[in-house]
Amino acid sequence: MWNTFKFLTFWVVIFAISVHFKPSECISHAVSDGDWLQYKLTYGKTYATTQADALARYYYSYNLKLIKKHNQNYDRKLTTFTLKANQFTDMRLTQFNALFPPAVYPTMTFDFPLNTVQNPPATFNPFTDQGLVSEVEDQGILCNSGWAYSAAKSIEILQQYQGTLIPLSAQNLIDCSGRSTACRTQVPQTGFDYLTMYDQVIYSTTDYPNNITISEQNMCIIPPAPITGTKLSAYSVITDGDDATMLRYVGNNYPVVIEFNPTSFEFMHYADGVFQQPRTSTGSHFMVVLGYEEDATSGLNTWLVQNSFGKTWGKGGRISIRRDAVTPLAKHAIFPAELA
Ligand SMILES: *[C@@H]1O[C@H](CO)[C@@H](O)[C@H](O)[C@H]1NC(C)=O
């Protein structure tokens, strides 16, 4: 009798699970065939099976509804930023979150003391104030490499502020300094340590192309001469929560890399406006703080931050994050301090 009960319970559970996870059969698509095809074309999406295609279409349609709801709240002035569909919209939030496991830090740091800088300007827009042309990168979704993309970008921008623009390779850092965790839990400091302590060059993207089609680091390859690249001789760190110091350096032409928790539906689909961090799960991502301003629409103070999710995410690849004393942005903040 008891065994029969267990047997029945087992099959009832299996049945419930199979019904729950078969969207292709039990969900009517809110997204038309044409719209779904257009989404796939826009983002170059292909799915291995029709089942996978149907599942992706289901999440796309589900996410579109949440995006619409959020934007209605924006229209009612209940939030300060908007959302939009992008390359992540065919994913569940939990899948997106899983791309960004919590970072693991080295136990030692070899940072240099903060050098002296002038008082920063009241606002700092790197594009209008410094003529920055920093290209937005796309790290893809196969390798969690924000640490390398942000580290490379910060050095590239520092060098541009100093007069030379050489697009620098994140792949170089992934392959050569990423150790065994380059696509999982690595941090920008490891890239800076590789360059400063071992006197290595970070190569240009021409010499060492980025490659987002691989999910693990490649072999570290030294490109044949003549090479173009950059050397870093020092980096510095900023105490967690010390936004005043971060602002001081950003305002004096030092792009600062921060750790940021990306695990929210809102960050996943951020479009425009002043982002305020909602409830998150745990996770780590890294971005480059470029400037600080006052938002014209809301009057709120903001940080201007560059991401590496391509230009289809956010404001052409960038995000404005609310700048206030309650939720400081400086977390494991680190920046290239001196080029060799
Ligand atoms: C990326 O790596 C793959 C696998 O090693 C290779 O086949 C492909 O040509 C590479 N793409 C680029 C742009 O280097």
Side-chain angles (χ1 to χ4, degrees):
M1 176 64 193
W2 177 240
N3 271 335
T4 312
F5 175 73
K6 277 201 289 191
F7 180 79
L8 281 176
T9 309
F10 175 78
W11 284 109
V12 164
V13 167
I14 292 293
F15 176 74
I17 289 173
S18 68
V19 165
H20 186 72
F21 286 104
K22 263 198 199 149
S24 57
E25 282 163 31
C26 64
I27 306 288
S28 65
H29 293 302
V31 175
S32 72
D33 288 354
D35 287 354
W36 178 232
L37 188 65
Q38 188 56 52
Y39 177 78
K40 290 193 282 186
L41 283 173
T42 303
Y43 296 101
K45 300 274 184 182
T46 51
Y47 304 97
T49 60
T50 49
Q51 185 83 8
D53 185 290
L55 197 59
R57 182 171 173 172
Y58 167 69
Y59 290 123
Y60 178 63
S61 136
Y62 178 78
N63 289 337
L64 282 186
K65 276 185 209 145
L66 293 183
I67 289 169
K68 192 169 161 198
K69 201 166 151 206
H70 177 100
N71 290 343
Q72 284 168 348
N73 285 338
Y74 177 82
D75 292 339
R76 290 191 213 111
K77 299 201 173 1
L78 298 173
T79 172
T80 53
F81 60 96
T82 55
L83 306 181
K84 66 178 177 186
N86 58 29
Q87 66 270 35
F88 305 122
T89 311
D90 61 345
M91 266 185 216
R92 289 176 79 174
L93 176 60
T94 50
Q95 263 177 293
F96 176 79
N97 290 351
L99 302 175
F100 308 97
V104 177
Y105 283 83
T107 50
M108 304 260 283
T109 168
F110 305 93
D111 58 303
F112 280 62
L114 292 166
N115 58 8
T116 310
V117 288
Q118 296 175 342
N119 284 334
T123 62
F124 183 75
N125 180 313
F127 306 106
T128 53
D129 295 344
Q130 290 293 328
L132 186 73
V133 291
S134 177
E135 193 62 24
V136 168
E137 310 293 337
D138 185 358
Q139 68 183 66
I141 59 166
L142 297 179
C143 174
N144 182 28
S145 51
W147 66 275
Y149 277 87
S150 58
K153 189 55 67 177
S154 66
I155 300 169
E156 176 186 309
I157 295 172
L158 179 66
Q159 192 171 29
Q160 196 200 326
Y161 283 154
Q162 298 182 1
T164 312
L165 176 58
I166 303 173
L168 296 176
S169 169
Q171 198 65 44
N172 181 187
L173 297 181
I174 295 169
D175 295 348
C176 302
S177 74
R179 310 194 177 195
S180 57
T181 57
C183 288
R184 290 293 293 166
T185 58
Q186 198 46 277
V187 299
Q189 187 202 315
T190 308
F192 290 151
D193 283 337
Y194 166 77
L195 298 172
T196 53
M197 302 189 45
Y198 302 105
D199 192 29
Q200 293 292 321
V201 171
I202 174 167
Y203 296 105
S204 68
T205 48
T206 315
D207 285 342
Y208 210 118
N210 292 327
N211 192 335
I212 61 168
T213 69
I214 44 182
S215 57
E216 290 297 330
Q217 69 221 79
N218 257 336
M219 252 176 22
C220 174
I221 296 158
I222 308 301
I227 56 102
T228 47
T230 307
K231 278 188 163 185
L232 181 71
S233 54
Y235 68 87
S236 297
V237 300
I238 294 166
T239 311
D240 279 3
D242 189 356
D243 277 22
T245 298
M246 183 159 81
L247 185 141
R248 198 175 172 80
Y249 284 86
V250 169
N252 276 283
N253 301 344
Y254 289 98
V256 174
V257 177
I258 46 142
E259 183 187 332
F260 192 79
N261 188 332
T263 59
S264 67
F265 183 82
E266 289 80 357
F267 186 80
M268 180 180 176
H269 289 104
Y270 169 78
D272 201 355
V274 183
F275 186 77
Q276 309 202 49
Q277 183 77 294
R279 189 196 303 218
T280 57
S281 171
T282 53
S284 301
H285 179 51
F286 299 91
M287 301 190 289
V288 186
V289 184
L290 297 179
Y292 51 90
E293 299 176 297
E294 185 185 290
D295 180 60
T297 312
S298 60
L300 294 171
N301 286 332
T302 61
W303 292 105
L304 176 60
V305 180
Q306 181 156 321
N307 200 354
S308 48
F309 287 176
K311 289 185 187 134
T312 50
W313 181 91
K315 299 193 287 181
R318 304 192 179 97
I319 180 172
S320 291
I321 301 176
R322 184 161 186 186
R323 176 163 55 92
D324 65 9
V326 185
T327 48
L329 188 64
K331 185 182 178 198
H332 288 288
I334 186 167
F335 66 94
E338 199 182 315
L339 303 176

